[in-house]
Amino acid sequence: MPQTPVDLLSVGEVARRAGIAPSAVRFYEDQGLISSVRTAGNQRRYPRYVLRRIGIIVAARRFGIPLAELADVFAELPAERMPNKSDWRRISRDWHARLEARRRQLENLEAELAGCIGCGCLSLRTCRVLNPDDMLGREGAGARRLRAEADGDEPRTA
Ligand code: FES
């Protein structure tokens, strides 16, 4: 359906309704997350559905979803309509799974780091933080990190 001028919002209107700075609106457009049309005077005008897209962007930032990954999410949405409940359900379910995986990863890191509290050995062989899963032990005997440096390679840190 063609959009009338009433359906289109200026940068300032979008910013005010979304509660963000006009520069953020332009930035999101530069990143390809929202799009506008131009007036005869070359001013940007946005369809109303960008407000929902910006809502998703704001949520993504809150949950630490990189904008590059958000672009992938938006690429799966129809370009010329607002994201609907079904879209948001799918996106939020995916993000929930990601947050859950990140939480488990942080718990594992926390447990590893807890072993270092009060230790201070900084042992490249026995410390689980410096040698996770005994990676150096699986590579065989000898000074793995020092050998890599002598060979001109970047010493491995994990
Ligand atoms: S510093 Fe000793 S176990 Fe990590």
Side-chain angles (χ1 to χ4, degrees), residues 124-146:
L124 296 174
R125 191 169 56 81
T126 60
C127 174
R128 286 176 55 199
V129 171
L130 301 179
N131 185 15
D133 303 322
D134 194 21
M135 287 180 359
L136 297 178
R138 285 198 313 259
E139 292 177 3
R144 322 302 307 171
R145 287 190 171 99
L146 293 176

Side-chain angles (χ1 to χ4, degrees), residues 115-116 119-122 127-128:
C116 296
C119 176
C121 71
L122 289 174
C127 174
R128 286 176 55 199

